[in-house]
Amino acid sequence: MNTFLAALFSGTSRGAIFALVALGLVIVWRGAGIVNFAQMGQAMFSTYIASTLITNGNSYWVGFFVALFAGAAMGALLDILVMRPLSNKKKTELLSSDSMRAAVPVIASLGILGALQALAGILWAAEERGFPAPAKQEGFTFGSNVMPFTAFDLFVISLVALTLVITTLFFKKTGIGLAMRATALNQEVAKLSGIRTNRTRTLSWAISGAASSLAGLLITPTSNLSPNTLDLVLIVGFTAAVVGGLDSPAGAVLGGFILGMVISFVTFYDTPEDVFLSILAVLLLVLLIRPRGILGSKDVRRV
Amino acid sequence: MLKIENLVTKFGSVVALDGVSMTAHESKITTVIGANGAGKSTLLRTISGLEHPAQGAITWQGESIVGRRPEDIVRLGIAHVPEGHAVISELSVEENISMGSLFRRRKFKSDIAKAMDEMYQLFPRLQERRKQLAGTLSGGERQMLAISRALVSRPQLLLLDEPSLGLAPLVVEQIIDSVNTLCRTTGLTVLLVEQNANTALGVADHGVLLALGKVVADRPAAELKADENLRAAYLGY
Amino acid sequence: MSNLKAHSIARKSLIRTFLFTVVMLILGSRFDAYNQAQLALVLILFIGVLSVTILTGISGQLSLGQGALMAVGGYSTALMMINYKLSLWIAIPLSIISAGIAGLLLGVAAARLSGPYLAGTTLVIALAIPTLANRFMSVFKGDEGLPVDVGYPPAWFSNTFGEPSYEKWQIYVALPFAAIALFFASNILLSRSGRMWRAIRDNELAASLNGVNYSRQKIYVFIVSATFAGLSGALYGLRGLVGPSVYPVSLSLTLLTAAVLGGIRSISGAFIGTVIVVYLPDWIEKALGNFSLSEQVSNFLPALISSLLLILVVVINPAGVAGTRLHKHK
């Protein structure tokens, strides 16, 4: 029973973070039609910035907010410097086919991932370092029992919940949010309505960058920080996004929690070594049964 | 006044517009008719900036608009309703309309609610369905929504691409009537592309007949409507 | 180009292969031991990069799982050599078959996917497959891996040509396989299947209207590409060890980088890209010889530069170094 509760709690708090990662991927996919494989590289880099600030005597919150800002700035720069020039090049021969148009931005994002990881290695060395948590990482005590649930878990879950509420309100209630949704759904009609689609697209990259940086800040206290630590998080986030539906923000959240539970239960009841195989199994299962994901729309984009 | 001179638009090696020259006069309805593939839609798409012409000039109120982006051309008062009831199905009716006024929020904040109310007066059925997703509307309602989305930006020129496509005659009449009334009462300039020549010529002041990317006739609508030879040769009835 | 008959395609490929072999043999005999080992590595990775060229450049499918297919080739070879004492000349061809079967499985899954879905799924596969080494400890020996190498040349070889150094023997083992791979790749590119696969890349709908059964063709491409990757992986493992750390995800990315840098559509591009990727650390070291860099910097500098090059090539000219020439052909 205790194992079950522990798995459930750990699945919830991990799932919250994966939901954030998946949400970041979904926002850029909807906004720009690109799966950004560099996303957690950006998160790693901004977490390093936070880590450097904090070890140099600044408060956790200074590091926290600077990292969020850095994540957003990196996302926007990446779009302006790499992805936008690439999408303006559609007329070249190599990019004249659908399949290459889909492949080339992925290759570019992998290049960015490689560059960020190498740069982090140069700046901060490759060995792992810890990253502080703003709340206690010991379980709550209930009478004489130590519960498998920590103050930090509570912090993670409430912060993610807050983020989800804010993003939902932003997308549903503001004009910029409407412009971003319109751009994602139908660029031509958006342009004809006077929406500056280039700008809204850059904004999706920035929001996604901030969301994934938040994920980085929340996951590194339990997993340590190195140039490659967040690769696995990206894989899980990608799987979560596909499970929920790449074009559905709500699906991303759902997928994140499903993956969190799967990983947590495999870790507690089986062995951590099976985690990857179980992720692969979940991914293949979803792709075979419901290729557009649980909440994905029917034919917005071809799988 | 919209003036088009010697406009050429190509898709790869296919020439869609082959030296088109024409004019849409202020506060008049000008219709462009012609068979499928004559280049009618391409003409509107080139004006609104969705396609880039290979050569030629487009002048709007004395200013060249060639090479500008669609989102900037809208700001000059040219609104385009593309072919096929172009609305965003995943957004609500209200969101679709207000999307068209987003770019006016800073300068004309007080006017936005008023403009939206006018749209609901023009097409009361849309008001009833404000909260519904656009995807759940009927074809006619979607066309009304697409037109409202364009009109809410208070354009001086409306580019309307085949509003009759796939709609029942009664609905077509209702939509065309609304546009006609709007033109006569507010002084809106309309450039109407239609395959359904009879309906279009019935309401228009001026008619332009397009065939294979070239202008074949450019005359007052009534005259064009009466010319049986042209009708038989280019429109097939 | 499209009207070449089968025998003239074969002749053209044969000439290419012959010239390639001669040049490599000459280079191999001129180089010092270090560069001989580097050349062997170029030959081995060239085969792997060809697998990317065929899959992504020719058929437009982006897979990040080539490293996993290389691992299949490597483990098969190592297991056969260790458990059944087979010679590498028998073990490698057999492991090509096992890689082909893995490619078939991957292709069946991939036929339904495209674009980022395919890239992401194959990336998960690339991460998941090496963990099997720890799951089935008794067979794959976990993180420790299976030590194998090219061994020594047979007696008749040493008697006829003299005793080659270990590095030279690495070249002699890799070269025949690289030559065969080049011959087949060249044939594929010039032949009917190559044209069909390009048609899939350029337009799935049009290809299927022209009677190309594209999901079956997609699976074929995967099988062919997997045999190249498996061969490359087998030889790669024979450099000393077959283990999860030998076939990391970054290996798949290295292959992709090489293919893109050189020009993802051509065989010469694949070779140029491989040379760049293998020699980049040496060139950087030489260029910065006068500056004393910390180990931290020099360890990561090649990766940084090759990643930046990758981004630049993609943004400036997605056709790569050898790609511009190809444009004129069309």
Side-chain angles (χ1 to χ4, degrees):
Chain A
M1 189 59 200
N2 216 0
T3 320
F4 180 80
L5 272 184
L8 199 66
F9 284 136
S10 137
T12 313
S13 104
R14 293 240 145 188
I17 298 171
F18 298 145
L20 217 49
V21 178
L23 187 68
L25 286 169
V26 166
I27 289 174
V28 165
W29 171 253
R30 277 165 55 105
I34 291 169
V35 171
N36 178 17
F37 285 94
Q39 182 177 296
M40 294 322 283
Q42 296 158 246
M44 172 274 298
F45 207 85
S46 47
T47 309
Y48 262 112
I49 293 175
S51 160
T52 311
L53 283 172
I54 295 167
T55 42
N56 285 340
N58 293 288
S59 84
Y60 174 85
W61 294 104
V62 170
F64 180 90
F65 284 109
V66 170
L68 290 193
F69 179 77
M74 254 185 280
L77 274 180
L78 203 157
D79 181 44
I80 294 168
L81 296 181
V82 180
M83 296 306 176
R84 195 186 292 172
L86 208 54
S87 74
N88 291 339
K89 273 185 104 91
K90 274 183 184 160
K91 299 279 149 66
T92 61
E93 198 222 352
L94 185 65
L95 291 171
S96 63
S97 65
D98 289 348
S99 52
M100 285 313 279
R101 257 204 296 284
V104 168
V106 174
I107 297 174
S109 75
L110 290 168
I112 290 157
L113 176 64
L116 285 173
Q117 290 182 339
L119 196 59
I122 289 175
L123 291 173
W124 296 296
E127 69 264 20
E128 292 203 340
R129 57 163 95 172
F131 187 76
K136 274 192 190 158
Q137 285 183 278
E138 291 102 50
F140 286 114
T141 48
F142 190 75
S144 61
N145 291 325
V146 180
M147 297 296 288
F149 192 68
T150 69
F152 181 63
D153 286 334
L154 192 65
F155 173 77
V156 168
I157 292 168
S158 27
L159 200 56
V160 172
L162 183 70
T163 311
L164 294 179
V165 170
I166 292 174
T167 19
T168 312
L169 287 178
F170 171 77
F171 278 113
K172 291 271 178 200
K173 300 289 176 195
T174 69
I176 303 172
L178 175 60
M180 287 178 66
R181 278 187 295 152
T183 309
L185 293 165
N186 188 332
Q187 249 200 82
E188 188 167 295
V189 173
K191 281 184 177 186
L192 290 177
S193 306
I195 294 167
R196 299 203 187 278
T197 50
N198 271 347
R199 281 188 210 170
T200 52
R201 217 176 306 127
T202 304
L203 193 59
S204 0
W205 283 91
I207 293 174
S208 158
S212 37
S213 292
L214 179 59
L217 292 168
L218 295 181
I219 205 157
T220 35
T222 48
S223 74
N224 288 336
L225 183 59
S226 83
N228 293 317
T229 14
L230 298 180
D231 288 1
L232 314 180
V233 183
L234 175 83
I235 303 293
V236 180
F238 171 80
T239 307
V242 172
V243 166
L246 254 184
D247 54 7
S248 159
V253 175
L254 178 66
F257 281 102
I258 291 177
L259 262 289
M261 289 302 166
V262 167
I263 290 172
S264 166
F265 276 86
V266 168
T267 312
F268 277 88
Y269 281 94
D270 183 29
T271 137
E273 273 148 24
D274 281 348
V275 161
F276 282 113
L277 291 172
S278 61
I279 296 171
L280 181 62
V282 170
L283 180 62
L284 291 178
L285 202 67
V286 168
L287 286 173
L288 288 177
I289 298 171
R290 208 180 152 83
R292 284 173 186 89
I294 298 170
L295 297 179
S297 59
K298 276 177 207 80
D299 40 49
V300 173
R301 273 202 176 96
R302 210 163 42 97
V303 172
Chain B
M1 189 176 78
L2 179 81
K3 200 165 184 231
I4 293 165
E5 286 161 294
N6 193 28
L7 198 65
V8 178
T9 303
K10 295 178 185 172
F11 298 106
S13 56
V14 181
V15 182
L17 293 181
D18 192 1
V20 170
S21 299
M22 62 165 289
T23 304
H25 288 282
E26 213 109 316
S27 308
K28 300 277 189 237
I29 300 182
T30 307
T31 183
V32 178
I33 52 176
N36 225 341
K40 305 184 302 286
S41 293
T42 309
L43 177 63
L44 294 197
R45 294 175 64 84
T46 311
I47 297 170
S48 68
L50 289 173
E51 309 294 346
H52 297 290
Q55 63 183 71
I58 306 172
T59 331
W60 165 241
Q61 293 173 334
E63 201 180 334
S64 167
I65 57 167
V66 171
R68 297 200 191 200
R69 283 180 297 192
E71 52 266 43
D72 294 320
I73 290 176
V74 188
R75 286 174 168 74
L76 298 173
I78 301 179
H80 181 185
V81 183
E83 200 176 346
H85 325 312
V87 297
I88 299 183
S89 322
E90 295 89 342
L91 300 181
S92 73
V93 168
E94 199 169 30
E95 285 171 332
N96 264 286
I97 301 181
S98 78
M99 184 170 75
S101 65
L102 282 177
F103 75 89
R104 300 177 78 236
R105 270 180 316 169
R106 283 220 190 105
K107 279 189 191 161
F108 307 97
K109 201 172 178 188
S110 55
D111 182 53
I112 293 215
K114 194 167 161 266
M116 288 200 48
D117 278 344
E118 284 174 28
M119 292 307 116
Y120 290 137
Q121 274 164 27
L122 190 65
F123 301 115
R125 276 155 81 182
L126 294 181
Q127 182 157 30
E128 290 163 26
R129 296 169 199 258
R130 271 171 52 208
K131 299 285 175 199
Q132 283 184 19
L133 291 187
T136 65
L137 300 182
S138 72
E141 288 162 347
R142 253 183 287 176
Q143 187 61 56
M144 294 173 195
L145 181 56
I147 293 173
S148 307
R149 198 268 305 145
L151 287 177
V152 81
S153 67
R154 296 211 185 280
Q156 288 128 291
L157 171 63
L158 181 68
L159 309 174
L160 198 49
D161 197 347
E162 288 224 43
S164 74
L165 194 76
L167 300 184
L170 215 65
V171 183
V172 175
E173 200 177 311
Q174 192 194 343
I175 289 174
I176 297 281
D177 273 352
S178 312
V179 173
N180 193 14
T181 314
L182 213 67
C183 171
R184 306 305 163 197
T185 55
T186 66
L188 178 72
T189 310
V190 178
L191 186 55
L192 170 67
V193 153
E194 257 304 336
Q195 207 169 323
N196 184 346
N198 249 342
T199 314
L201 291 172
V203 70
D205 301 287
H206 203 83
V208 174
L209 177 58
L210 221 55
L212 297 172
K214 287 192 160 98
V215 176
V216 190
D218 185 349
R219 295 188 216 161
E223 222 177 274
L224 206 56
K225 199 175 180 186
D227 191 330
E228 288 189 10
N229 292 339
L230 269 183
R231 259 194 0 208
Y234 293 101
L235 300 168
Y237 67 94
Chain C
M1 198 152 94
S2 53
N3 290 326
L4 285 181
K5 292 210 181 78
H7 70 267
S8 71
I9 290 173
R11 199 171 54 202
K12 200 172 168 183
S13 305
L14 210 57
I15 295 169
R16 264 189 203 179
T17 309
F18 178 74
L19 288 175
F20 173 78
T21 312
V22 171
V23 172
M24 290 303 125
L25 278 176
I26 294 173
L27 285 179
S29 62
R30 293 279 168 86
F31 280 175
D32 57 13
Y34 173 76
N35 281 311
Q36 282 174 343
Q38 290 286 82
L39 184 64
L41 183 57
V42 167
L43 292 173
I44 293 167
L45 287 180
F46 174 50
I47 305 170
V49 175
L50 280 178
S51 83
V52 177
T53 303
I54 290 170
L55 190 67
T56 308
I58 308 305
S59 90
Q61 306 181 78
L62 179 58
S63 163
L64 307 177
Q66 300 305 93
L69 291 170
M70 284 179 72
V72 171
Y75 272 101
S76 306
T77 305
L79 288 174
M80 281 187 265
M81 286 176 69
I82 293 171
N83 294 348
Y84 301 104
K85 308 281 177 251
L86 290 180
S87 130
L88 67 91
W89 302 103
I90 298 167
I92 291 180
L94 287 177
S95 50
I96 293 175
I97 297 174
S98 65
I101 294 170
L104 170 70
L105 295 177
L106 196 58
V108 169
R112 301 170 55 115
L113 308 174
S114 68
Y117 281 89
L118 182 58
T121 308
T122 49
L123 187 57
V124 178
I125 289 172
L127 269 169
I129 296 294
T131 62
L132 285 173
N134 285 315
R135 195 73 190 78
F136 301 98
M137 227 17 203
S138 55
V139 186
F140 300 123
K141 303 287 182 254
D143 286 331
E144 218 170 86
L146 306 161
V148 278
D149 57 45
V150 289
Y152 298 98
W156 63 265
F157 185 92
S158 307
N159 293 340
T160 326
F161 300 102
E163 183 88 35
S165 66
Y166 182 76
E167 288 80 12
K168 217 167 185 181
W169 179 235
Q170 278 190 315
I171 295 180
Y172 290 155
V173 171
L175 188 55
F177 290 113
I180 294 170
L182 170 64
F183 176 74
F184 275 103
S186 167
N187 257 330
I188 289 167
L189 255 73
L190 297 172
S191 73
R192 203 176 104 93
S193 1
R195 254 179 294 136
M196 211 139 64
W197 295 345
R198 273 192 290 266
I200 296 173
R201 176 199 65 202
D202 289 342
N203 194 335
E204 269 181 15
L205 186 66
S208 64
L209 290 177
N210 280 321
V212 177
N213 178 342
Y214 83 83
S215 38
R216 190 186 298 167
Q217 292 298 332
K218 267 181 159 177
I219 296 173
Y220 289 159
V221 183
F222 257 95
I223 296 173
V224 171
S225 164
T227 58
F228 280 77
L231 171 58
S232 171
L235 293 166
Y236 195 66
L238 286 174
R239 295 168 74 239
L241 180 75
V242 167
S245 63
V246 180
Y247 305 97
V249 178
S250 57
L251 183 60
S252 307
L253 301 187
T254 305
L255 296 184
L256 183 67
T257 306
V260 174
L261 286 186
I264 201 160
R265 288 189 154 186
S266 74
I267 292 176
S268 50
F271 190 77
I272 295 170
T274 314
V275 172
I276 295 176
V277 166
V278 170
Y279 274 96
L280 194 64
D282 294 354
W283 293 337
I284 292 171
E285 200 178 320
K286 215 176 254 174
L288 297 178
N290 300 328
F291 305 91
S292 57
L293 295 174
S294 71
E295 199 180 324
Q296 194 173 326
V297 175
S298 57
N299 275 348
F300 285 97
L301 205 53
L304 179 62
I305 290 181
S306 68
S307 302
L308 291 177
L309 277 178
L310 180 65
I311 301 168
L312 270 181
V313 165
V314 166
V315 172
I316 293 168
N317 175 21
V321 175
T324 33
R325 197 175 54 88
L326 211 72
H327 273 243
K328 290 178 192 152
H329 267 301
K330 276 222 154 180

